[in-house]
Amino acid sequence: MTAADAPPIVFVHGTRFSAGQWSTQLAALREEFPVAAVDLPGHGARSAEPWSLGAAAEVVACAVDALGRGPALVVGHSLGGYVALEFARRRSERLRGLVLAGASASTRGPWATPYRWVAGLVPRIPADRLTRWNDRLLLRHYPKDVVEATIRSGYAFHTLPAAWGEVLGRFDAGAMRHVAAPALILNGEKDSVFRSGEADFARAHPDARVELIPRAGHLANFDAPDAFTDAVRRFARQLPGDG
């Protein structure tokens, strides 16, 4: 692959996080690929913007266009993975490849019930308390250099009920039929909840494969940043050229 062929890569963060979630991946990949990470509506620098799935997909589209290199590989984690699926449905011509990370579970049916409960509970807990809990959790489990950009960017607890409220009940493996590009379903080996539909998601797409990050959980890009980055790099290098 030549520099001219290298696909642009847009990273889309998960619930409550921001573009800072991808600091390690951006640093590792930027010499080979044009890269960007977005803040979704209601998150990070867009904290004051109202959430909607349509607006989130448009943020991804704008990031793809801003890189100026044609259709992009979109890497979405958890909430960001479902946003990436919505982007694929709305703007399929701007998608060169898709990485779904921790987002291969149906959000329909009984599975969604505990998440609806959490979405209703979060607004009742003071944001400063939630922030302290999240800071401690991240620093307890991950190296500081991996999570410091996430901590510095803060958390979007206020957006969680609206974001989950729109995603829950909306997505299943059938969403893969809108993905008109190669797909990689990239999960942490120990992420049992979001791996629950990975086989169905893979079967629903003619050019999809599953790859697991050994010993990693839901936050696989924090648990094993090098392995996660390498998986994205390999997939990007294998994508067909634009046009």
Side-chain angles (χ1 to χ4, degrees), residues 12-70:
V12 191
H13 62 78
T15 298
R16 79 189 182 281
F17 290 154
S18 66
Q21 177 182 352
W22 303 109
S23 60
T24 301
Q25 282 68 47
L26 295 178
L29 295 170
R30 63 167 49 106
E31 290 188 6
E32 184 175 354
F33 304 94
V35 293
V38 301
D39 287 330
L40 295 174
H43 299 75
R46 298 179 182 272
S47 180
E49 298 180 15
W51 165 270
S52 79
L53 198 54
E58 189 57 29
V59 165
V60 176
C62 289
V64 173
D65 292 344
L67 287 174
R69 295 284 294 274

Side-chain angles (χ1 to χ4, degrees), residues 76-167:
H77 172 257
S78 197
L79 172 65
Y82 297 110
V83 169
L85 286 171
E86 182 68 9
F87 170 75
R89 186 180 75 84
R90 292 170 177 256
R91 302 292 293 273
S92 62
E93 77 285 356
R94 309 300 292 144
L95 187 69
R96 187 163 167 182
L98 173 67
V99 175
L100 282 184
S104 54
S106 172
T107 67
R108 296 178 173 174
W111 178 91
T113 300
Y115 288 86
R116 293 189 189 280
W117 181 81
V118 171
L121 177 65
V122 164
R124 303 177 189 178
I125 303 174
D128 60 344
R129 183 180 302 175
L130 290 170
T131 295
R132 289 195 299 272
W133 288 348
N134 275 261
D135 287 351
R136 291 169 186 163
L137 179 69
L138 293 178
L139 290 171
R140 182 180 302 124
H141 291 285
Y142 307 110
K144 183 178 180 181
D145 63 317
V146 172
V147 298
E148 61 184 349
T150 295
I151 292 172
R152 186 169 59 249
S153 299
Y155 310 100
F157 301 115
H158 65 291
T159 303
L160 189 152
W164 283 18
E166 194 171 8
V167 168

Side-chain angles (χ1 to χ4, degrees), residues 82 102-107 111 171-172 193-198 201:
Y82 297 110
S104 54
S106 172
T107 67
W111 178 91
F171 292 96
D172 59 19
V193 172
F194 286 90
R195 287 189 59 195
S196 62
E198 67 184 10
F201 275 64

